[in-house]
């Protein structure tokens, strides 16, 4: 996934047009697994929605910068028809490995690293490969000498003769069996305040704490996904009982993004046909909430369409060994700059959501057949380290993460190493530190942004008070008093009428034991149970306590 490309964007251009244009550029037919992602000025990530205009989705000034990513990971790599699609998925998995998002044992990590080395260097050649040739490549976020020796052992003895496509395919087969395959971790906190990471896979909704998966709710058992403010709810069935899990994000925008990702993944993996997908509402009791509908194909339709592809497979261009060794960073992923017909000057803060994968071979814009280039990062020059001791070799193999530490995506999302000069030249960035912070997804940064959100809320309250004061001035003035009074009186009558109807109905539902079918159905809904236990019961106890206190004080007097 390489190469910078720029396109002109009209105000009414839909997101689907841009997605199709990028996939056509790369001659990609199995395009439903991929998407374009961008970041707004508040550093919140978003997926480009196909049915909305690009200009309405972007909150920043043009030019707009997006990244080409795998949005839905294939559940079974065997069902991918074309080598080009497998290669792009391989690049994404390799990136996930480098950023510490793939939880695996030491032996699995060594095998994955050996597949990457085999795909990019080919068979081991003692004349070409020095003694510590694997140490030149940064494959994992924390790469020990013990792991490098194991990678070299597997590369020399087990993978000889495998071509790059076969080595990449073997990596996909191993990666898709791991628990964190396809997990894009969303940091949040549970009801106890413990930091957790939520994710959506082909199997269902998953929750991680540390390096342990504590929840897996399969998609058929997920009844509803919703959010209210900063709280995200998952209502599902566990052991034939309904359960509701609540998680707290740092901002309402992060919570809504989490909800949208869940709705899209559930629709993609759960349904057999896209015609079965309905509009989902994050409904509340008295308000409708946000509405969203996934508009693409589902996984089964994508697999069926792949099986019908009859064209001659397009050629996949890979980087050669010389370029791989001379490169000092990961190759750039696809960065798309959307410029308007009359472009404005970009501000320093309007940058890409993530650092592009390293330095690749520049391609001419007119050459549609230009190669896709990628390589693993090569470590910077460093002195020789002490040789490993015999005690290190005797350490028994135990289940570990790829970094041999507890799984923590927010701590292991390392910035992609890109030369400072190259960044300044290509993207006109203000500083490398800001780009590195954008590439991380740590919960600490989200908590820091929460303070800014609270300040914004206070500003909104001040604006509301000023608007209310202006309304009062209009009501008390001599201009158009009668029409305003009439409209206000009508609104007051309607509100009192609704109150007189809703209040007795609530008392009937909450306090009476009448066993009518429609009343029982309302009482069994998750929204009503949440309202009853979280709001009504505490309010009832508080009112009863105040009444008893007043009666006691009157009795004493």
């Amino acid at each position: 996934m390489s190469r910078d490309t720029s396109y002109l964007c009209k105000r009414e251009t839909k997101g689907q047009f841009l997605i199709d244009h990028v996939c056509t550029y790369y001659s990609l037919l199995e395009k439903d697994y991929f998407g374009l992602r961008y970041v707004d000025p508040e550093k919140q990530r978003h997926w480009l929605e196909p049915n909305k205009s690009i200009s309405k989705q972007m909150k920043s000034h043009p030019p707009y910068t997006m990244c080409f990513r795998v949005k839905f990971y294939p559940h079974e790599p065997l069902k991918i028809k074309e080598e080009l699609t497998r290669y792009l998925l391989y690049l994404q998995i390799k990136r996930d490995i480098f950023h510490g998002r793939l939880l695996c044992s030491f032996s699995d990590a060594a095998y994955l690293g050996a597949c990457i080395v085999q795909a990019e260097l080919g068979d081991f050649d003692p004349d070409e490969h020095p003694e510590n040739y694997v140490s030149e490549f940064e494959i994992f976020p924390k790469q020990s000498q013990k792991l490098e020796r194991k990678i070299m052992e597997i590369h020399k003895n087990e993978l000889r003769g495998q071509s790059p496509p076969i080595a990449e395919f073997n990596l996909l087969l191993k990666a898709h069996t791991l628990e964190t395959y396809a997990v894009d971790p969303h940091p949040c906190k549970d009801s106890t305040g413990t930091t957790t990471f939520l994710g959506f896979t082909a199997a269902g909704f998953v929750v991680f704490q540390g390096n342990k998966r504590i929840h897996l709710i399969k998609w058929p058992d997920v009844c509803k996904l919703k959010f209210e403010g900063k709280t995200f709810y998952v209502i599902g069935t566990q052991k034939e009982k309904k359960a509701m899990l609540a998680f707290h994000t740092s901002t309402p925008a992060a919570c809504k993004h989490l909800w949208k990702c869940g709705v899209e993944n559930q629709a993609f993996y759960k349904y057999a046909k896209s015609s079965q997908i309905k509009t989902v509402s994050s409904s509340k009791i008295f308000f409708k909430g946000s509405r969203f509908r996934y508009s693409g194909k589902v996984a089964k339709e994508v697999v069926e369409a792949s099986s019908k592809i009859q064209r001659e497979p397009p050629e996949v261009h890979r980087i050669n060994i010389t370029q791989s060794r001379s490169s000092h960073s990961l190759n750039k992923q696809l960065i798309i700059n959307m410029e308007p017909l009359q472009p404005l000057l970009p501000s320093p803060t309007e940058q890409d959501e993530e650092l592009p994968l390293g330095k690749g071979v520049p391609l001419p814009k007119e050459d549609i057949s230009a190669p896709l280039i990628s390589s693993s990062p090569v470590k910077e020059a460093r002195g020789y380290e002490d040789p490993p001791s015999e005690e290190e070799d005797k350490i028994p193999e135990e289940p570990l993460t790829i970094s041999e530490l507890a799984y923590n995506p927010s701590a292991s999302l390392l910035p992609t190493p890109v030369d400072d000069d190259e960044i300044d030249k290509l993207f006109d960035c203000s500083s490398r530190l800001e780009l590195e912070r954008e590439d991380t997804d740590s919960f600490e940064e989200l908590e820091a942004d929460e303070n800014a959100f609270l300040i914004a809320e206070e500003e909104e309250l001040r604006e509301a008070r000023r608007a209310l004061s202006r309304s009062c001035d209009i009501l008390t003035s001599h201009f158009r008093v009668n029409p305003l009074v009439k409209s206000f009186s009508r609104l007051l009558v309607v509100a009192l009428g609704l109150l007189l109807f809703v209040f007795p109905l609530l008392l009937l539902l909450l306090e009476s034991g009448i066993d009518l079918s429609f009343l029982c159905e309302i009482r069994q809904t998750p929204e009503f149970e949440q309202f009853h236990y979280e709001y009504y019961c505490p309010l009832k106890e508080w009112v009863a306590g105040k009444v008893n206190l007043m009666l006691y004080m009157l009795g004493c007097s």
Side-chain angles (χ1 to χ4, degrees), residues 334-360:
L334 176 64
I335 304 296
I336 303 167
N337 291 311
M338 295 297 300
E339 299 181 359
L341 295 177
Q342 295 180 350
L344 303 175
L345 291 177
S347 63
T349 58
E350 292 159 3
Q351 303 297 337
D352 180 27
E353 60 153 339
E354 297 168 308
L355 285 177
L357 285 183
K359 182 169 61 177

Side-chain angles (χ1 to χ4, degrees), residues 202-225:
F205 168 74
V206 293
V207 182
F208 284 87
Q209 280 185 2
N211 63 346
K212 183 180 179 182
R213 189 180 71 186
I214 60 173
H215 285 295
L216 169 59
I217 304 179
K218 297 182 178 181
W219 289 125
D221 298 330
V222 176
C223 303
K224 186 178 179 63
L225 301 173

Side-chain angles (χ1 to χ4, degrees), residues 239-266:
K239 298 179 180 179
E240 299 182 354
K241 293 183 180 179
K242 276 193 174 182
M244 182 170 65
L245 304 177
F247 303 93
H248 307 285
T249 60
S250 60
T251 64
C255 194
K256 186 174 183 179
H257 173 65
L258 174 62
W259 173 70
K260 280 188 173 182
C261 290
V263 171
E264 288 185 318
N265 278 271
Q266 184 182 23

Side-chain angles (χ1 to χ4, degrees), residues 5 12 53 57-58 74 86 137 187 242 264 268 273 275 295 301 323 338 340 342 348 390 411 430 432 449 520 530:
T5 52
E12 65 274 9
S53 66
Q57 297 184 59
M58 299 296 174
R86 289 194 293 269
F137 297 91
K242 276 193 174 182
E264 288 185 318
F268 183 80
K273 296 181 179 180
S275 58
S295 57
E301 291 176 336
Q323 291 171 323
M338 295 297 300
Q342 295 180 350
E390 295 181 359
S430 57
R432 183 172 182 176
D449 293 339
C520 293
Q530 179 189 359

